[in-house]
Amino acid sequence: MELEVKNRTVEVTRPYLPELDEFLPYLETIWANKALTNNGPFHCKLEAALANYLGVPYVSLFSNGTLALVSALQALRVTGEVITTPYSFVATSHSLLWNSIKPIFVDIEPHTLNINPKKIEAAITPQTTAIVPVHCYGNPCDTAEIERIAEINNLRVIYDAAHAFGVEDKNKSILNCGDMSILSFHATKVFNTFEGGAIISHDKNMKRRIDNLKNFGFVDETTVEVTGINGKMSEFNAALGLLQLKHIDNAIRRRKQICERYVDALDPISGITYVPHTAAEPNYSYFPILVESGFALSRDNLYEVLKEHGVNARRYFYPLITDFPMYREHHSARKENLPIANTSANNVLCLPIYPELETEDQEHIINTILACA
């Protein structure tokens, strides 16, 4: 099969951009209110709207998901060692280092690429204070087993749910699991505010503590009670979030259609394994495939072929967190301790998936892969 190189580039994901005339009234309101930040009207409306949409008790908005995770660890006073996954974006473990916490890496499950609860139990020491699992690609972790382990060992659980906006399992939001869940609203996410994030918490006192932490520790005009940070979301980003929320259900439906077309086309190909969405209500945030030995090309060769044909797929997550210099000397980072994570990182390729991905472009991606089989 001969394929033309496309003149335009197809990215893995693109942010949804509302029509300008749809966003202008929001901008005019911000201008009229003369409130740009510090818990302005749109900020408060978005927190309430997200809590209602997601079915969670309390939402605290942040300027990005990394600051949300850093602040969640502060809010729960996590210290010592924290068990986490090497198969994630570096923000997960960087947030631990920023809090002077030692990450302890354990291997993942082959079918979900989420942290393996059996490995968690074996890694607990007297210095362990918490677990930070990741709902990888929006697939729920084994929350019941993780929280059983946490309860027995008196550990905190903070879920990095950056990929898991709107995901439900067993008829409830997975964001209600653990002590807290962290969301990212980065431009590449299913729901975005260009840059942004949030902490999901379970009681009013904890929300108050989180909100103080993200505002330098201020509790009133003249009183600072904790060593806080500037993590506040602006009114501009909050207004964009309110507008995005109007379109989110249609966006997820469109993602589902794109996912199903990929599955139908790629499922018969030897050596291509799709990492399935396992939630009862997924959000189709990514379309990861594993390029294994039965395929004609290696993952990296397929990656280069796609790029040559105008398709920017992503090796997500590669390299592993444990391959970076600030982590590789940790005993838990040794490759022999993480065989599944290392194999997955060397095989994974995320294909483009976003609501505006045109059928013609998706067919081009599929045909490029088929031509290599």
Side-chain angles (χ1 to χ4, degrees), residues 54 65 69 88 92 132-141 158-167 173-177 180-185 189 198 200 283 285:
L54 296 170
L69 186 49
S88 182
T92 306
V132 176
V134 176
H135 298 302
C136 190
Y137 308 131
N139 283 335
C141 295
I158 302 172
Y159 285 101
D160 183 335
H163 298 174
F165 183 91
V167 174
S173 171
I174 62 170
L175 303 176
N176 283 315
C177 297
M180 292 181 188
S181 290
I182 311 305
L183 286 168
S184 169
F185 302 148
K189 298 299 188 289
I200 309 302
N283 65 10
S285 54

PDB file of all heavy atoms in Angstrom, residues 54 65 69 88 92 132-141 158-167 173-177 180-185 189 198 200 283 285:
ATOM      1  N   LEU A  54     -19.154  16.153  38.505  1.00  0.00           N
ATOM      2  CA  LEU A  54     -18.323  14.986  38.813  1.00  0.00           C
ATOM      3  C   LEU A  54     -18.896  14.129  39.941  1.00  0.00           C
ATOM      4  O   LEU A  54     -18.437  13.001  40.141  1.00  0.00           O
ATOM      5  CB  LEU A  54     -16.910  15.449  39.192  1.00  0.00           C
ATOM      6  CG  LEU A  54     -16.120  16.148  38.078  1.00  0.00           C
ATOM      7  CD1 LEU A  54     -14.851  16.776  38.647  1.00  0.00           C
ATOM      8  CD2 LEU A  54     -15.775  15.176  36.954  1.00  0.00           C
ATOM      9  N   GLY A  65      -2.112  21.111  37.645  1.00  0.00           N
ATOM     10  CA  GLY A  65      -2.243  19.869  38.394  1.00  0.00           C
ATOM     11  C   GLY A  65      -1.037  19.546  39.249  1.00  0.00           C
ATOM     12  O   GLY A  65      -1.163  18.900  40.295  1.00  0.00           O
ATOM     13  N   LEU A  69      -1.018  18.623  43.267  1.00  0.00           N
ATOM     14  CA  LEU A  69      -0.449  17.437  43.903  1.00  0.00           C
ATOM     15  C   LEU A  69       0.553  17.817  44.989  1.00  0.00           C
ATOM     16  O   LEU A  69       0.559  17.221  46.086  1.00  0.00           O
ATOM     17  CB  LEU A  69       0.212  16.547  42.851  1.00  0.00           C
ATOM     18  CG  LEU A  69       0.749  15.193  43.316  1.00  0.00           C
ATOM     19  CD1 LEU A  69      -0.269  14.423  44.137  1.00  0.00           C
ATOM     20  CD2 LEU A  69       1.188  14.362  42.118  1.00  0.00           C
ATOM     21  N   SER A  88       4.329   6.902  34.694  1.00  0.00           N
ATOM     22  CA  SER A  88       3.503   8.099  34.802  1.00  0.00           C
ATOM     23  C   SER A  88       4.296   9.268  34.241  1.00  0.00           C
ATOM     24  O   SER A  88       5.463   9.132  33.852  1.00  0.00           O
ATOM     25  CB  SER A  88       3.129   8.354  36.271  1.00  0.00           C
ATOM     26  OG  SER A  88       2.291   9.490  36.394  1.00  0.00           O
ATOM     27  N   THR A  92       4.218  13.411  38.788  1.00  0.00           N
ATOM     28  CA  THR A  92       3.788  12.575  39.912  1.00  0.00           C
ATOM     29  C   THR A  92       4.899  12.455  40.937  1.00  0.00           C
ATOM     30  O   THR A  92       4.697  12.727  42.130  1.00  0.00           O
ATOM     31  CB  THR A  92       3.379  11.176  39.414  1.00  0.00           C
ATOM     32  OG1 THR A  92       2.393  11.302  38.391  1.00  0.00           O
ATOM     33  CG2 THR A  92       2.827  10.337  40.549  1.00  0.00           C
ATOM     34  N   VAL A 132       0.713   6.887  46.364  1.00  0.00           N
ATOM     35  CA  VAL A 132       0.248   7.777  45.286  1.00  0.00           C
ATOM     36  C   VAL A 132       0.111   6.942  44.012  1.00  0.00           C
ATOM     37  O   VAL A 132       1.051   6.820  43.223  1.00  0.00           O
ATOM     38  CB  VAL A 132       1.197   8.967  45.072  1.00  0.00           C
ATOM     39  CG1 VAL A 132       0.734   9.813  43.877  1.00  0.00           C
ATOM     40  CG2 VAL A 132       1.263   9.840  46.325  1.00  0.00           C
ATOM     41  N   PRO A 133      -1.050   6.327  43.801  1.00  0.00           N
ATOM     42  CA  PRO A 133      -1.293   5.590  42.547  1.00  0.00           C
ATOM     43  C   PRO A 133      -1.752   6.554  41.453  1.00  0.00           C
ATOM     44  O   PRO A 133      -2.165   7.682  41.724  1.00  0.00           O
ATOM     45  CB  PRO A 133      -2.427   4.624  42.922  1.00  0.00           C
ATOM     46  CG  PRO A 133      -2.708   4.865  44.388  1.00  0.00           C
ATOM     47  CD  PRO A 133      -2.167   6.208  44.723  1.00  0.00           C
ATOM     48  N   VAL A 134      -1.679   6.077  40.210  1.00  0.00           N
ATOM     49  CA  VAL A 134      -2.106   6.860  39.044  1.00  0.00           C
ATOM     50  C   VAL A 134      -3.161   6.061  38.285  1.00  0.00           C
ATOM     51  O   VAL A 134      -2.952   4.890  37.990  1.00  0.00           O
ATOM     52  CB  VAL A 134      -0.916   7.162  38.112  1.00  0.00           C
ATOM     53  CG1 VAL A 134      -1.385   7.893  36.858  1.00  0.00           C
ATOM     54  CG2 VAL A 134       0.147   7.971  38.852  1.00  0.00           C
ATOM     55  N   HIS A 135      -4.290   6.698  37.983  1.00  0.00           N
ATOM     56  CA  HIS A 135      -5.290   6.075  37.101  1.00  0.00           C
ATOM     57  C   HIS A 135      -4.801   6.254  35.660  1.00  0.00           C
ATOM     58  O   HIS A 135      -5.196   7.187  34.952  1.00  0.00           O
ATOM     59  CB  HIS A 135      -6.654   6.737  37.274  1.00  0.00           C
ATOM     60  CG  HIS A 135      -7.234   6.610  38.656  1.00  0.00           C
ATOM     61  ND1 HIS A 135      -7.468   5.405  39.264  1.00  0.00           N
ATOM     62  CD2 HIS A 135      -7.667   7.556  39.532  1.00  0.00           C
ATOM     63  CE1 HIS A 135      -8.013   5.592  40.453  1.00  0.00           C
ATOM     64  NE2 HIS A 135      -8.133   6.889  40.639  1.00  0.00           N
ATOM     65  N   CYS A 136      -3.938   5.352  35.221  1.00  0.00           N
ATOM     66  CA  CYS A 136      -3.223   5.523  33.956  1.00  0.00           C
ATOM     67  C   CYS A 136      -4.180   5.473  32.766  1.00  0.00           C
ATOM     68  O   CYS A 136      -4.986   4.542  32.639  1.00  0.00           O
ATOM     69  CB  CYS A 136      -2.169   4.435  33.833  1.00  0.00           C
ATOM     70  SG  CYS A 136      -1.047   4.699  32.468  1.00  0.00           S
ATOM     71  N   TYR A 137      -4.077   6.473  31.889  1.00  0.00           N
ATOM     72  CA  TYR A 137      -4.948   6.620  30.716  1.00  0.00           C
ATOM     73  C   TYR A 137      -6.433   6.691  31.114  1.00  0.00           C
ATOM     74  O   TYR A 137      -7.312   6.433  30.289  1.00  0.00           O
ATOM     75  CB  TYR A 137      -4.736   5.482  29.715  1.00  0.00           C
ATOM     76  CG  TYR A 137      -3.312   5.257  29.313  1.00  0.00           C
ATOM     77  CD1 TYR A 137      -2.743   3.981  29.339  1.00  0.00           C
ATOM     78  CD2 TYR A 137      -2.507   6.318  28.885  1.00  0.00           C
ATOM     79  CE1 TYR A 137      -1.420   3.770  28.965  1.00  0.00           C
ATOM     80  CE2 TYR A 137      -1.185   6.110  28.518  1.00  0.00           C
ATOM     81  CZ  TYR A 137      -0.646   4.839  28.561  1.00  0.00           C
ATOM     82  OH  TYR A 137       0.669   4.630  28.197  1.00  0.00           O
ATOM     83  N   GLY A 138      -6.707   7.025  32.373  1.00  0.00           N
ATOM     84  CA  GLY A 138      -8.087   7.093  32.854  1.00  0.00           C
ATOM     85  C   GLY A 138      -8.645   5.762  33.311  1.00  0.00           C
ATOM     86  O   GLY A 138      -9.803   5.701  33.747  1.00  0.00           O
ATOM     87  N   ASN A 139      -7.857   4.685  33.250  1.00  0.00           N
ATOM     88  CA  ASN A 139      -8.325   3.382  33.742  1.00  0.00           C
ATOM     89  C   ASN A 139      -8.211   3.330  35.261  1.00  0.00           C
ATOM     90  O   ASN A 139      -7.132   3.582  35.804  1.00  0.00           O
ATOM     91  CB  ASN A 139      -7.494   2.243  33.129  1.00  0.00           C
ATOM     92  CG  ASN A 139      -7.889   1.940  31.707  1.00  0.00           C
ATOM     93  OD1 ASN A 139      -9.014   2.208  31.304  1.00  0.00           O
ATOM     94  ND2 ASN A 139      -6.973   1.390  30.940  1.00  0.00           N
ATOM     95  N   PRO A 140      -9.298   2.988  35.960  1.00  0.00           N
ATOM     96  CA  PRO A 140      -9.246   2.989  37.422  1.00  0.00           C
ATOM     97  C   PRO A 140      -8.255   1.974  37.975  1.00  0.00           C
ATOM     98  O   PRO A 140      -8.162   0.841  37.489  1.00  0.00           O
ATOM     99  CB  PRO A 140     -10.673   2.613  37.836  1.00  0.00           C
ATOM    100  CG  PRO A 140     -11.516   2.906  36.638  1.00  0.00           C
ATOM    101  CD  PRO A 140     -10.635   2.672  35.447  1.00  0.00           C
ATOM    102  N   CYS A 141      -7.505   2.385  38.983  1.00  0.00           N
ATOM    103  CA  CYS A 141      -6.689   1.448  39.747  1.00  0.00           C
ATOM    104  C   CYS A 141      -7.598   0.479  40.500  1.00  0.00           C
ATOM    105  O   CYS A 141      -8.817   0.686  40.583  1.00  0.00           O
ATOM    106  CB  CYS A 141      -5.834   2.199  40.762  1.00  0.00           C
ATOM    107  SG  CYS A 141      -4.607   3.301  40.055  1.00  0.00           S
ATOM    108  N   ILE A 158      -3.407   9.219  47.969  1.00  0.00           N
ATOM    109  CA  ILE A 158      -3.690  10.361  47.093  1.00  0.00           C
ATOM    110  C   ILE A 158      -3.627   9.847  45.661  1.00  0.00           C
ATOM    111  O   ILE A 158      -2.573   9.417  45.191  1.00  0.00           O
ATOM    112  CB  ILE A 158      -2.670  11.497  47.274  1.00  0.00           C
ATOM    113  CG1 ILE A 158      -2.656  11.973  48.730  1.00  0.00           C
ATOM    114  CG2 ILE A 158      -2.986  12.652  46.339  1.00  0.00           C
ATOM    115  CD1 ILE A 158      -1.542  12.970  49.028  1.00  0.00           C
ATOM    116  N   TYR A 159      -4.743   9.877  44.958  1.00  0.00           N
ATOM    117  CA  TYR A 159      -4.779   9.389  43.577  1.00  0.00           C
ATOM    118  C   TYR A 159      -4.403  10.505  42.605  1.00  0.00           C
ATOM    119  O   TYR A 159      -4.991  11.590  42.633  1.00  0.00           O
ATOM    120  CB  TYR A 159      -6.167   8.852  43.227  1.00  0.00           C
ATOM    121  CG  TYR A 159      -6.457   7.511  43.844  1.00  0.00           C
ATOM    122  CD1 TYR A 159      -7.233   7.405  44.983  1.00  0.00           C
ATOM    123  CD2 TYR A 159      -5.936   6.340  43.290  1.00  0.00           C
ATOM    124  CE1 TYR A 159      -7.493   6.170  45.568  1.00  0.00           C
ATOM    125  CE2 TYR A 159      -6.186   5.106  43.860  1.00  0.00           C
ATOM    126  CZ  TYR A 159      -6.958   5.025  45.006  1.00  0.00           C
ATOM    127  OH  TYR A 159      -7.197   3.802  45.574  1.00  0.00           O
ATOM    128  N   ASP A 160      -3.400  10.230  41.781  1.00  0.00           N
ATOM    129  CA  ASP A 160      -3.122  11.098  40.647  1.00  0.00           C
ATOM    130  C   ASP A 160      -4.133  10.710  39.569  1.00  0.00           C
ATOM    131  O   ASP A 160      -3.981   9.702  38.888  1.00  0.00           O
ATOM    132  CB  ASP A 160      -1.692  10.892  40.172  1.00  0.00           C
ATOM    133  CG  ASP A 160      -1.302  11.818  39.023  1.00  0.00           C
ATOM    134  OD1 ASP A 160      -2.216  12.267  38.294  1.00  0.00           O
ATOM    135  OD2 ASP A 160      -0.104  12.065  38.826  1.00  0.00           O
ATOM    136  N   ALA A 161      -5.176  11.526  39.464  1.00  0.00           N
ATOM    137  CA  ALA A 161      -6.280  11.253  38.538  1.00  0.00           C
ATOM    138  C   ALA A 161      -6.251  12.235  37.375  1.00  0.00           C
ATOM    139  O   ALA A 161      -7.298  12.609  36.838  1.00  0.00           O
ATOM    140  CB  ALA A 161      -7.608  11.331  39.285  1.00  0.00           C
ATOM    141  N   ALA A 162      -5.038  12.634  36.966  1.00  0.00           N
ATOM    142  CA  ALA A 162      -4.888  13.629  35.900  1.00  0.00           C
ATOM    143  C   ALA A 162      -5.615  13.231  34.631  1.00  0.00           C
ATOM    144  O   ALA A 162      -6.124  14.087  33.901  1.00  0.00           O
ATOM    145  CB  ALA A 162      -3.399  13.852  35.606  1.00  0.00           C
ATOM    146  N   HIS A 163      -5.698  11.910  34.349  1.00  0.00           N
ATOM    147  CA  HIS A 163      -6.337  11.425  33.117  1.00  0.00           C
ATOM    148  C   HIS A 163      -7.809  11.068  33.321  1.00  0.00           C
ATOM    149  O   HIS A 163      -8.454  10.623  32.368  1.00  0.00           O
ATOM    150  CB  HIS A 163      -5.637  10.152  32.627  1.00  0.00           C
ATOM    151  CG  HIS A 163      -4.208  10.327  32.270  1.00  0.00           C
ATOM    152  ND1 HIS A 163      -3.387   9.271  31.926  1.00  0.00           N
ATOM    153  CD2 HIS A 163      -3.429  11.439  32.188  1.00  0.00           C
ATOM    154  CE1 HIS A 163      -2.173   9.717  31.662  1.00  0.00           C
ATOM    155  NE2 HIS A 163      -2.176  11.023  31.811  1.00  0.00           N
ATOM    156  N   ALA A 164      -8.328  11.205  34.522  1.00  0.00           N
ATOM    157  CA  ALA A 164      -9.570  10.506  34.889  1.00  0.00           C
ATOM    158  C   ALA A 164     -10.778  11.415  35.071  1.00  0.00           C
ATOM    159  O   ALA A 164     -11.719  11.061  35.786  1.00  0.00           O
ATOM    160  CB  ALA A 164      -9.332   9.676  36.148  1.00  0.00           C
ATOM    161  N   PHE A 165     -10.801  12.552  34.403  1.00  0.00           N
ATOM    162  CA  PHE A 165     -11.948  13.456  34.521  1.00  0.00           C
ATOM    163  C   PHE A 165     -13.229  12.744  34.077  1.00  0.00           C
ATOM    164  O   PHE A 165     -13.308  12.218  32.962  1.00  0.00           O
ATOM    165  CB  PHE A 165     -11.733  14.702  33.663  1.00  0.00           C
ATOM    166  CG  PHE A 165     -12.840  15.717  33.783  1.00  0.00           C
ATOM    167  CD1 PHE A 165     -12.764  16.718  34.723  1.00  0.00           C
ATOM    168  CD2 PHE A 165     -13.956  15.664  32.963  1.00  0.00           C
ATOM    169  CE1 PHE A 165     -13.776  17.651  34.852  1.00  0.00           C
ATOM    170  CE2 PHE A 165     -14.982  16.578  33.082  1.00  0.00           C
ATOM    171  CZ  PHE A 165     -14.896  17.580  34.027  1.00  0.00           C
ATOM    172  N   GLY A 166     -14.223  12.722  34.957  1.00  0.00           N
ATOM    173  CA  GLY A 166     -15.531  12.171  34.610  1.00  0.00           C
ATOM    174  C   GLY A 166     -15.614  10.661  34.598  1.00  0.00           C
ATOM    175  O   GLY A 166     -16.679  10.108  34.297  1.00  0.00           O
ATOM    176  N   VAL A 167     -14.539   9.968  34.916  1.00  0.00           N
ATOM    177  CA  VAL A 167     -14.536   8.500  34.863  1.00  0.00           C
ATOM    178  C   VAL A 167     -15.308   7.929  36.048  1.00  0.00           C
ATOM    179  O   VAL A 167     -15.123   8.360  37.193  1.00  0.00           O
ATOM    180  CB  VAL A 167     -13.095   7.952  34.861  1.00  0.00           C
ATOM    181  CG1 VAL A 167     -13.089   6.426  34.954  1.00  0.00           C
ATOM    182  CG2 VAL A 167     -12.364   8.408  33.596  1.00  0.00           C
ATOM    183  N   SER A 173     -18.107   8.018  40.901  1.00  0.00           N
ATOM    184  CA  SER A 173     -16.899   8.661  40.414  1.00  0.00           C
ATOM    185  C   SER A 173     -15.681   8.062  41.099  1.00  0.00           C
ATOM    186  O   SER A 173     -15.647   7.937  42.330  1.00  0.00           O
ATOM    187  CB  SER A 173     -16.952  10.165  40.687  1.00  0.00           C
ATOM    188  OG  SER A 173     -15.698  10.757  40.409  1.00  0.00           O
ATOM    189  N   ILE A 174     -14.654   7.733  40.314  1.00  0.00           N
ATOM    190  CA  ILE A 174     -13.428   7.221  40.941  1.00  0.00           C
ATOM    191  C   ILE A 174     -12.689   8.336  41.676  1.00  0.00           C
ATOM    192  O   ILE A 174     -11.770   8.064  42.453  1.00  0.00           O
ATOM    193  CB  ILE A 174     -12.499   6.539  39.926  1.00  0.00           C
ATOM    194  CG1 ILE A 174     -12.013   7.507  38.855  1.00  0.00           C
ATOM    195  CG2 ILE A 174     -13.172   5.336  39.305  1.00  0.00           C
ATOM    196  CD1 ILE A 174     -10.915   6.930  37.977  1.00  0.00           C
ATOM    197  N   LEU A 175     -13.114   9.580  41.480  1.00  0.00           N
ATOM    198  CA  LEU A 175     -12.478  10.696  42.173  1.00  0.00           C
ATOM    199  C   LEU A 175     -12.829  10.736  43.654  1.00  0.00           C
ATOM    200  O   LEU A 175     -12.206  11.455  44.430  1.00  0.00           O
ATOM    201  CB  LEU A 175     -12.875  12.021  41.519  1.00  0.00           C
ATOM    202  CG  LEU A 175     -12.550  12.148  40.035  1.00  0.00           C
ATOM    203  CD1 LEU A 175     -13.072  13.465  39.491  1.00  0.00           C
ATOM    204  CD2 LEU A 175     -11.051  12.033  39.798  1.00  0.00           C
ATOM    205  N   ASN A 176     -13.826   9.948  44.064  1.00  0.00           N
ATOM    206  CA  ASN A 176     -14.202   9.893  45.477  1.00  0.00           C
ATOM    207  C   ASN A 176     -13.361   8.902  46.267  1.00  0.00           C
ATOM    208  O   ASN A 176     -13.515   8.781  47.474  1.00  0.00           O
ATOM    209  CB  ASN A 176     -15.685   9.530  45.610  1.00  0.00           C
ATOM    210  CG  ASN A 176     -16.585  10.706  45.308  1.00  0.00           C
ATOM    211  OD1 ASN A 176     -16.341  11.810  45.770  1.00  0.00           O
ATOM    212  ND2 ASN A 176     -17.622  10.483  44.504  1.00  0.00           N
ATOM    213  N   CYS A 177     -12.465   8.185  45.594  1.00  0.00           N
ATOM    214  CA  CYS A 177     -11.644   7.182  46.272  1.00  0.00           C
ATOM    215  C   CYS A 177     -10.445   7.851  46.963  1.00  0.00           C
ATOM    216  O   CYS A 177      -9.975   8.903  46.538  1.00  0.00           O
ATOM    217  CB  CYS A 177     -11.147   6.144  45.282  1.00  0.00           C
ATOM    218  SG  CYS A 177     -12.471   5.192  44.502  1.00  0.00           S
ATOM    219  N   MET A 180      -7.667  11.908  48.834  1.00  0.00           N
ATOM    220  CA  MET A 180      -7.817  12.992  47.860  1.00  0.00           C
ATOM    221  C   MET A 180      -7.577  12.434  46.468  1.00  0.00           C
ATOM    222  O   MET A 180      -6.909  11.403  46.307  1.00  0.00           O
ATOM    223  CB  MET A 180      -6.805  14.120  48.111  1.00  0.00           C
ATOM    224  CG  MET A 180      -7.016  14.905  49.372  1.00  0.00           C
ATOM    225  SD  MET A 180      -5.749  16.200  49.505  1.00  0.00           S
ATOM    226  CE  MET A 180      -6.094  16.792  51.172  1.00  0.00           C
ATOM    227  N   SER A 181      -8.101  13.130  45.462  1.00  0.00           N
ATOM    228  CA  SER A 181      -7.782  12.860  44.061  1.00  0.00           C
ATOM    229  C   SER A 181      -7.363  14.173  43.410  1.00  0.00           C
ATOM    230  O   SER A 181      -7.900  15.238  43.738  1.00  0.00           O
ATOM    231  CB  SER A 181      -8.985  12.276  43.320  1.00  0.00           C
ATOM    232  OG  SER A 181      -9.260  10.961  43.744  1.00  0.00           O
ATOM    233  N   ILE A 182      -6.398  14.061  42.500  1.00  0.00           N
ATOM    234  CA  ILE A 182      -5.844  15.240  41.833  1.00  0.00           C
ATOM    235  C   ILE A 182      -6.197  15.195  40.351  1.00  0.00           C
ATOM    236  O   ILE A 182      -5.980  14.189  39.676  1.00  0.00           O
ATOM    237  CB  ILE A 182      -4.306  15.285  41.977  1.00  0.00           C
ATOM    238  CG1 ILE A 182      -3.886  15.057  43.422  1.00  0.00           C
ATOM    239  CG2 ILE A 182      -3.762  16.604  41.432  1.00  0.00           C
ATOM    240  CD1 ILE A 182      -4.506  15.988  44.429  1.00  0.00           C
ATOM    241  N   LEU A 183      -6.724  16.304  39.842  1.00  0.00           N
ATOM    242  CA  LEU A 183      -7.049  16.431  38.419  1.00  0.00           C
ATOM    243  C   LEU A 183      -6.108  17.425  37.746  1.00  0.00           C
ATOM    244  O   LEU A 183      -5.648  18.381  38.381  1.00  0.00           O
ATOM    245  CB  LEU A 183      -8.486  16.915  38.245  1.00  0.00           C
ATOM    246  CG  LEU A 183      -9.591  15.894  38.535  1.00  0.00           C
ATOM    247  CD1 LEU A 183     -10.936  16.592  38.606  1.00  0.00           C
ATOM    248  CD2 LEU A 183      -9.609  14.799  37.480  1.00  0.00           C
ATOM    249  N   SER A 184      -5.857  17.189  36.469  1.00  0.00           N
ATOM    250  CA  SER A 184      -5.158  18.156  35.637  1.00  0.00           C
ATOM    251  C   SER A 184      -6.114  18.683  34.584  1.00  0.00           C
ATOM    252  O   SER A 184      -6.853  17.911  33.969  1.00  0.00           O
ATOM    253  CB  SER A 184      -3.957  17.508  34.946  1.00  0.00           C
ATOM    254  OG  SER A 184      -3.432  18.378  33.955  1.00  0.00           O
ATOM    255  N   PHE A 185      -6.095  19.995  34.379  1.00  0.00           N
ATOM    256  CA  PHE A 185      -6.886  20.626  33.322  1.00  0.00           C
ATOM    257  C   PHE A 185      -5.967  21.236  32.266  1.00  0.00           C
ATOM    258  O   PHE A 185      -6.275  22.265  31.666  1.00  0.00           O
ATOM    259  CB  PHE A 185      -7.801  21.707  33.903  1.00  0.00           C
ATOM    260  CG  PHE A 185      -8.750  21.213  34.967  1.00  0.00           C
ATOM    261  CD1 PHE A 185      -9.135  22.051  36.021  1.00  0.00           C
ATOM    262  CD2 PHE A 185      -9.250  19.925  34.942  1.00  0.00           C
ATOM    263  CE1 PHE A 185     -10.005  21.610  36.993  1.00  0.00           C
ATOM    264  CE2 PHE A 185     -10.121  19.467  35.927  1.00  0.00           C
ATOM    265  CZ  PHE A 185     -10.495  20.317  36.957  1.00  0.00           C
ATOM    266  N   LYS A 189      -5.788  17.665  28.070  1.00  0.00           N
ATOM    267  CA  LYS A 189      -6.696  16.783  28.792  1.00  0.00           C
ATOM    268  C   LYS A 189      -8.119  16.822  28.207  1.00  0.00           C
ATOM    269  O   LYS A 189      -8.490  17.746  27.477  1.00  0.00           O
ATOM    270  CB  LYS A 189      -6.738  17.150  30.278  1.00  0.00           C
ATOM    271  CG  LYS A 189      -5.392  17.011  30.982  1.00  0.00           C
ATOM    272  CD  LYS A 189      -4.873  15.585  30.929  1.00  0.00           C
ATOM    273  CE  LYS A 189      -3.631  15.367  31.781  1.00  0.00           C
ATOM    274  NZ  LYS A 189      -2.425  16.001  31.249  1.00  0.00           N
ATOM    275  N   ALA A 198      -7.023  20.594  39.967  1.00  0.00           N
ATOM    276  CA  ALA A 198      -7.930  20.635  41.121  1.00  0.00           C
ATOM    277  C   ALA A 198      -7.589  19.522  42.094  1.00  0.00           C
ATOM    278  O   ALA A 198      -7.024  18.487  41.718  1.00  0.00           O
ATOM    279  CB  ALA A 198      -9.386  20.509  40.667  1.00  0.00           C
ATOM    280  N   ILE A 200      -9.697  17.105  44.759  1.00  0.00           N
ATOM    281  CA  ILE A 200     -10.989  16.635  45.246  1.00  0.00           C
ATOM    282  C   ILE A 200     -10.793  16.185  46.688  1.00  0.00           C
ATOM    283  O   ILE A 200      -9.963  15.308  46.965  1.00  0.00           O
ATOM    284  CB  ILE A 200     -11.519  15.448  44.407  1.00  0.00           C
ATOM    285  CG1 ILE A 200     -11.475  15.775  42.912  1.00  0.00           C
ATOM    286  CG2 ILE A 200     -12.913  15.055  44.867  1.00  0.00           C
ATOM    287  CD1 ILE A 200     -12.252  16.977  42.487  1.00  0.00           C
ATOM    288  N   ASN A 283     -13.542   7.892  29.820  1.00  0.00           N
ATOM    289  CA  ASN A 283     -13.568   9.191  29.140  1.00  0.00           C
ATOM    290  C   ASN A 283     -12.756   9.182  27.838  1.00  0.00           C
ATOM    291  O   ASN A 283     -12.666  10.209  27.174  1.00  0.00           O
ATOM    292  CB  ASN A 283     -13.065  10.305  30.068  1.00  0.00           C
ATOM    293  CG  ASN A 283     -11.604  10.146  30.456  1.00  0.00           C
ATOM    294  OD1 ASN A 283     -10.872   9.317  29.912  1.00  0.00           O
ATOM    295  ND2 ASN A 283     -11.165  10.941  31.419  1.00  0.00           N
ATOM    296  N   SER A 285      -9.615   9.171  27.148  1.00  0.00           N
ATOM    297  CA  SER A 285      -8.635  10.259  27.154  1.00  0.00           C
ATOM    298  C   SER A 285      -7.428   9.980  26.274  1.00  0.00           C
ATOM    299  O   SER A 285      -6.816  10.907  25.740  1.00  0.00           O
ATOM    300  CB  SER A 285      -8.181  10.557  28.585  1.00  0.00           C
ATOM    301  OG  SER A 285      -7.710   9.387  29.218  1.00  0.00           O
TER     302      SER A 285
END
